């Protein structure tokens, strides 16, 4: 068993990844604590139903930890996780197609605040969520990585193995289509 | 809806479900599943299948090079060439040229 890596909140992801590669489970658990919520927000935006969110997050981390040898720091670990999450969600969608369609009301998000603003915000988010579901997967993921996660095109491109220019085009196509469908 | 409103709404997407996620429990379950489920080669097979499919598409016969290649040319876990955009396909093809 590897010696656990002494860690703080500022321990770089790269050090935690290296520690996990030597068998330090606590390092892997720290990576889950650090990135699970951001990953969950991305998955929810991409269409994951809340009832399945925990399992999809778990599955994403499991796939990531098992293939971490292929992560070469081309982008942030969190961004890389989200690309894996996109594939986990795609596989989940295939399984669901054989059973039932995910109801739209599962996509309505909770927010806090004034009841009127709450209703309006929830409706806006529900419409955006429905619009996102209608986008091609690449456009949807680029839009979420840019608009929701606030990533630069260079980072998105590195994670998706494309160019910053192509990522920018996917984003603008997504926005244009959303403007058409989300009134 | 204008772009600024879209971005604001996108930032709110998933706020409630994410806050309800028990991250400590998730971390614990991930570690339990990693211990309980033996690592399989499913993901590796997926990546290799994409490489082979790309080779077939362009008529390459050097499968050893494809399967043994270590270049990071694909989004992680990609298993379907139809999901790749033009730039991503170009990178796959470029990697096959050695």
């Amino acid at each position: 068993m590897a010696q656990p890596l002494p860690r703080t909140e500022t321990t770089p992801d790269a050090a935690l990844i290296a520690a996990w590669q030597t068998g330090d489970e606590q390092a892997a658990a720290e990576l889950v604590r650090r990135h699970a919520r951001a990953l969950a927000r991305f998955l929810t935006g991409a269409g994951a139903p809340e009832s399945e969110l925990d399992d999809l997050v778990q599955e994403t981390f499991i796939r990531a930890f098992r293939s971490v040898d292929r992560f070469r720091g081309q982008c942030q670990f969190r961004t890389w996780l989200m690309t894996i999450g996109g594939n986990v969600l795609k596989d989940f969608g295939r399984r669901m197609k054989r059973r039932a369609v995910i109801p739209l009301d599962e996509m309505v998000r909770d927010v806090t605040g004034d009841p009127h603003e709450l209703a309006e915000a929830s409706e806006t988010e529900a419409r955006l969520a429905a619009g996102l579901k209608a986008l091609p997967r690449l456009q949807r993921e680029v839009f979420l990585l840019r608009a929701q996660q606030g990533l630069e095109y260079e980072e998105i491109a590195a994670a998706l193995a494309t160019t910053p220019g192509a990522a920018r085009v996917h984003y603008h196509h997504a926005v244009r289509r959303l403007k058409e469908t989300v009134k | 809806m204008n772009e600024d409103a879209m971005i604001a709404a996108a930032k709110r997407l998933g706020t409630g479900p994410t806050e309800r996620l028990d991250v400590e429990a998730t971390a614990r379950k991930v570690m339990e599943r990693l211990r309980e489920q033996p690592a399989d080669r499913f993901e590796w097979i997926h990546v290799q299948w994409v490489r082979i499919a790309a080779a077939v598409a362009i008529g390459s016969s050097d499968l050893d090079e494809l399967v043994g290649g270590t270049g990071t040319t694909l989004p992680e876990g990609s298993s379907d060439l139809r999901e790749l955009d033009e730039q991503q396909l170009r990178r796959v093809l470029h990697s096959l040229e050695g």
Side-chain angles (χ1 to χ4, degrees):
Chain A
M1 174 66 79
Q3 286 291 322
L5 174 75
R7 67 188 63 82
T8 67
E9 288 182 0
T10 57
T11 304
D13 283 356
L16 294 172
I17 292 166
W20 159 246
Q21 287 175 308
T22 66
D24 181 351
E25 290 189 355
Q26 286 308 309
E30 176 61 23
L31 286 165
V32 176
R33 290 186 200 100
R34 196 173 281 188
H35 300 296
R37 291 194 192 282
L39 173 64
R41 288 184 64 236
F42 173 80
L43 290 171
T44 309
E50 183 173 359
S51 59
E52 303 291 337
L53 189 58
D54 186 33
D55 198 55
L56 292 167
V57 169
Q58 288 177 42
E59 182 62 28
T60 301
F61 276 105
I62 287 166
R63 286 196 197 181
F65 289 144
R66 284 185 174 155
S67 60
V68 77
D69 290 347
R70 295 204 294 272
F71 176 64
R72 295 179 180 79
Q74 65 272 28
C75 59
Q76 296 173 51
F77 178 71
R78 176 177 291 188
T79 316
W80 186 70
L81 261 182
M82 290 176 189
T83 66
I84 296 173
N87 285 300
V88 168
L89 187 59
K90 179 188 72 178
D91 293 343
F92 168 77
R94 284 176 175 163
R95 291 197 301 274
M96 288 302 100
K97 268 188 181 173
R98 298 189 207 113
R99 290 188 245 172
V101 176
I102 299 167
L104 184 61
D105 59 5
E106 292 243 29
M107 305 291 287
V108 178
R109 312 301 195 250
D110 287 353
V111 292
T112 57
D114 175 79
H116 177 69
E117 289 179 6
L118 174 77
E120 193 169 295
S122 293
E123 186 188 331
T124 303
E125 289 158 42
R127 284 187 286 137
L128 178 63
L132 285 169
K133 279 184 79 173
L135 291 181
R137 180 183 165 197
L138 197 51
Q139 287 181 21
R140 179 170 56 245
E141 293 188 0
V142 169
F143 176 84
L144 286 169
L145 291 172
R146 177 75 178 163
Q148 183 192 57
Q149 304 291 327
L151 299 179
E152 300 293 336
Y153 290 119
E154 287 75 11
E155 172 76 3
I156 296 168
L160 296 176
T162 188
T163 65
R168 185 178 286 107
V169 168
H170 288 306
Y171 174 80
H172 287 295
H173 282 174
V175 168
R176 194 186 66 217
R177 291 184 67 162
L178 287 168
K179 281 180 179 173
E180 290 169 359
T181 57
V182 183
K183 302 293 182 186
Chain B
M1 190 186 296
N2 63 35
E3 186 174 345
D4 288 344
M6 270 182 220
I7 292 170
K11 288 185 189 303
R12 290 195 302 269
L13 282 180
T15 302
T18 298
E19 284 175 357
R20 288 189 284 275
L21 189 71
D22 183 343
V23 172
E24 278 302 323
T26 301
R28 193 168 56 249
K29 284 184 270 188
V30 167
M31 303 323 298
E32 286 170 2
R33 286 175 64 180
L34 281 169
R35 281 184 222 116
E36 289 167 5
Q37 299 169 7
D40 58 34
R41 305 303 291 166
F42 187 70
E43 281 299 301
W44 184 87
I45 289 167
H46 260 190
V47 171
Q48 305 318 327
W49 171 243
V50 173
R51 290 175 187 272
I52 291 166
V56 170
I58 65 166
S60 171
S61 59
D62 193 353
L63 294 182
D64 286 343
E65 181 186 347
L66 299 172
V67 173
T70 57
T72 305
T73 58
L74 294 170
E76 189 62 34
S78 290
S79 58
D80 192 340
L81 287 176
R82 291 169 299 184
E83 292 182 341
L84 305 184
D85 70 7
E86 183 183 345
Q87 293 296 331
Q88 290 170 322
L89 282 169
R90 282 185 190 282
R91 288 198 173 196
V92 173
L93 294 173
H94 181 70
S95 76
L96 300 178
E97 291 165 359

mmCIF file of all heavy atoms in Angstrom, chain B residues 45-62:
data_model
loop_
_atom_site.group_PDB
_atom_site.id
_atom_site.type_symbol
_atom_site.label_atom_id
_atom_site.label_comp_id
_atom_site.label_asym_id
_atom_site.label_seq_id
_atom_site.Cartn_x
_atom_site.Cartn_y
_atom_site.Cartn_z
ATOM 1 N N ILE B 45 -10.806 -1.247 -25.132
ATOM 2 C CA ILE B 45 -11.339 -1.845 -26.357
ATOM 3 C C ILE B 45 -12.088 -0.798 -27.177
ATOM 4 O O ILE B 45 -11.959 -0.735 -28.395
ATOM 5 C CB ILE B 45 -12.254 -3.048 -26.013
ATOM 6 C CG1 ILE B 45 -11.399 -4.201 -25.498
ATOM 7 C CG2 ILE B 45 -13.074 -3.480 -27.226
ATOM 8 C CD1 ILE B 45 -12.200 -5.309 -24.847
ATOM 9 N N HIS B 46 -12.834 0.067 -26.493
ATOM 10 C CA HIS B 46 -13.551 1.134 -27.193
ATOM 11 C C HIS B 46 -12.594 2.015 -27.982
ATOM 12 O O HIS B 46 -12.815 2.308 -29.156
ATOM 13 C CB HIS B 46 -14.314 1.993 -26.179
ATOM 14 C CG HIS B 46 -15.766 1.657 -26.098
ATOM 15 N ND1 HIS B 46 -16.665 2.428 -25.418
ATOM 16 C CD2 HIS B 46 -16.475 0.647 -26.641
ATOM 17 C CE1 HIS B 46 -17.860 1.892 -25.520
ATOM 18 N NE2 HIS B 46 -17.764 0.808 -26.246
ATOM 19 N N VAL B 47 -11.530 2.441 -27.340
ATOM 20 C CA VAL B 47 -10.567 3.325 -28.001
ATOM 21 C C VAL B 47 -9.942 2.604 -29.181
ATOM 22 O O VAL B 47 -9.799 3.158 -30.275
ATOM 23 C CB VAL B 47 -9.483 3.783 -27.000
ATOM 24 C CG1 VAL B 47 -8.371 4.523 -27.730
ATOM 25 C CG2 VAL B 47 -10.108 4.677 -25.937
ATOM 26 N N GLN B 48 -9.573 1.335 -28.961
ATOM 27 C CA GLN B 48 -8.931 0.603 -30.053
ATOM 28 C C GLN B 48 -9.912 0.386 -31.210
ATOM 29 O O GLN B 48 -9.511 0.400 -32.368
ATOM 30 C CB GLN B 48 -8.399 -0.748 -29.554
ATOM 31 C CG GLN B 48 -7.452 -0.650 -28.357
ATOM 32 C CD GLN B 48 -6.464 0.476 -28.476
ATOM 33 O OE1 GLN B 48 -6.017 0.836 -29.575
ATOM 34 N NE2 GLN B 48 -6.114 1.085 -27.347
ATOM 35 N N TRP B 49 -11.172 0.178 -30.886
ATOM 36 C CA TRP B 49 -12.174 -0.012 -31.935
ATOM 37 C C TRP B 49 -12.271 1.242 -32.803
ATOM 38 O O TRP B 49 -12.361 1.150 -34.027
ATOM 39 C CB TRP B 49 -13.520 -0.355 -31.316
ATOM 40 C CG TRP B 49 -14.640 -0.343 -32.312
ATOM 41 C CD1 TRP B 49 -15.719 0.461 -32.334
ATOM 42 C CD2 TRP B 49 -14.751 -1.195 -33.464
ATOM 43 N NE1 TRP B 49 -16.513 0.188 -33.418
ATOM 44 C CE2 TRP B 49 -15.935 -0.829 -34.137
ATOM 45 C CE3 TRP B 49 -13.968 -2.209 -33.999
ATOM 46 C CZ2 TRP B 49 -16.344 -1.451 -35.310
ATOM 47 C CZ3 TRP B 49 -14.387 -2.824 -35.168
ATOM 48 C CH2 TRP B 49 -15.557 -2.458 -35.809
ATOM 49 N N VAL B 50 -12.230 2.408 -32.187
ATOM 50 C CA VAL B 50 -12.280 3.647 -32.960
ATOM 51 C C VAL B 50 -11.064 3.745 -33.869
ATOM 52 O O VAL B 50 -11.157 4.124 -35.039
ATOM 53 C CB VAL B 50 -12.361 4.873 -32.017
ATOM 54 C CG1 VAL B 50 -12.231 6.160 -32.817
ATOM 55 C CG2 VAL B 50 -13.682 4.870 -31.270
ATOM 56 N N ARG B 51 -9.897 3.405 -33.327
ATOM 57 C CA ARG B 51 -8.683 3.455 -34.149
ATOM 58 C C ARG B 51 -8.790 2.515 -35.359
ATOM 59 O O ARG B 51 -8.446 2.876 -36.480
ATOM 60 C CB ARG B 51 -7.466 3.043 -33.299
ATOM 61 C CG ARG B 51 -7.064 4.052 -32.242
ATOM 62 C CD ARG B 51 -5.934 3.457 -31.409
ATOM 63 N NE ARG B 51 -5.594 4.280 -30.281
ATOM 64 C CZ ARG B 51 -4.713 5.280 -30.324
ATOM 65 N NH1 ARG B 51 -4.103 5.559 -31.440
ATOM 66 N NH2 ARG B 51 -4.452 5.995 -29.252
ATOM 67 N N ILE B 52 -9.288 1.294 -35.101
ATOM 68 C CA ILE B 52 -9.403 0.322 -36.183
ATOM 69 C C ILE B 52 -10.430 0.787 -37.212
ATOM 70 O O ILE B 52 -10.214 0.688 -38.421
ATOM 71 C CB ILE B 52 -9.776 -1.068 -35.609
ATOM 72 C CG1 ILE B 52 -8.590 -1.614 -34.809
ATOM 73 C CG2 ILE B 52 -10.162 -2.026 -36.726
ATOM 74 C CD1 ILE B 52 -8.927 -2.799 -33.928
ATOM 75 N N ALA B 53 -11.554 1.333 -36.721
ATOM 76 C CA ALA B 53 -12.589 1.818 -37.627
ATOM 77 C C ALA B 53 -12.042 2.941 -38.509
ATOM 78 O O ALA B 53 -12.320 3.004 -39.711
ATOM 79 C CB ALA B 53 -13.794 2.307 -36.825
ATOM 80 N N ALA B 54 -11.224 3.817 -37.902
ATOM 81 C CA ALA B 54 -10.623 4.904 -38.680
ATOM 82 C C ALA B 54 -9.685 4.335 -39.730
ATOM 83 O O ALA B 54 -9.625 4.806 -40.871
ATOM 84 C CB ALA B 54 -9.878 5.862 -37.754
ATOM 85 N N ALA B 55 -8.946 3.291 -39.346
ATOM 86 C CA ALA B 55 -8.019 2.671 -40.293
ATOM 87 C C ALA B 55 -8.749 2.071 -41.478
ATOM 88 O O ALA B 55 -8.353 2.232 -42.629
ATOM 89 C CB ALA B 55 -7.212 1.584 -39.579
ATOM 90 N N VAL B 56 -9.841 1.375 -41.165
ATOM 91 C CA VAL B 56 -10.644 0.775 -42.233
ATOM 92 C C VAL B 56 -11.178 1.870 -43.151
ATOM 93 O O VAL B 56 -11.185 1.739 -44.382
ATOM 94 C CB VAL B 56 -11.800 -0.058 -41.629
ATOM 95 C CG1 VAL B 56 -12.783 -0.489 -42.719
ATOM 96 C CG2 VAL B 56 -11.232 -1.275 -40.908
ATOM 97 N N ALA B 57 -11.605 2.971 -42.545
ATOM 98 C CA ALA B 57 -12.198 4.066 -43.324
ATOM 99 C C ALA B 57 -11.215 4.644 -44.330
ATOM 100 O O ALA B 57 -11.594 5.062 -45.418
ATOM 101 C CB ALA B 57 -12.700 5.160 -42.387
ATOM 102 N N ILE B 58 -9.924 4.671 -43.964
ATOM 103 C CA ILE B 58 -8.951 5.255 -44.894
ATOM 104 C C ILE B 58 -8.116 4.192 -45.590
ATOM 105 O O ILE B 58 -7.188 4.520 -46.322
ATOM 106 C CB ILE B 58 -8.031 6.259 -44.186
ATOM 107 C CG1 ILE B 58 -7.173 5.549 -43.141
ATOM 108 C CG2 ILE B 58 -8.830 7.394 -43.585
ATOM 109 C CD1 ILE B 58 -6.028 6.413 -42.657
ATOM 110 N N GLY B 59 -8.416 2.910 -45.336
ATOM 111 C CA GLY B 59 -7.732 1.847 -46.046
ATOM 112 C C GLY B 59 -6.352 1.519 -45.530
ATOM 113 O O GLY B 59 -5.530 0.942 -46.226
ATOM 114 N N SER B 60 -6.070 1.887 -44.277
ATOM 115 C CA SER B 60 -4.762 1.563 -43.701
ATOM 116 C C SER B 60 -4.733 0.096 -43.295
ATOM 117 O O SER B 60 -5.729 -0.482 -42.918
ATOM 118 C CB SER B 60 -4.496 2.430 -42.470
ATOM 119 O OG SER B 60 -3.342 1.976 -41.797
ATOM 120 N N SER B 61 -3.550 -0.512 -43.364
ATOM 121 C CA SER B 61 -3.428 -1.904 -42.953
ATOM 122 C C SER B 61 -2.522 -2.063 -41.740
ATOM 123 O O SER B 61 -2.338 -3.164 -41.248
ATOM 124 C CB SER B 61 -2.873 -2.742 -44.112
ATOM 125 O OG SER B 61 -1.610 -2.224 -44.492
ATOM 126 N N ASP B 62 -1.942 -0.965 -41.263
ATOM 127 C CA ASP B 62 -0.989 -1.071 -40.164
ATOM 128 C C ASP B 62 -1.711 -0.996 -38.828
ATOM 129 O O ASP B 62 -1.649 -0.014 -38.102
ATOM 130 C CB ASP B 62 0.049 0.051 -40.270
ATOM 131 C CG ASP B 62 1.224 -0.203 -39.339
ATOM 132 O OD1 ASP B 62 1.146 -1.166 -38.544
ATOM 133 O OD2 ASP B 62 2.200 0.560 -39.402
#
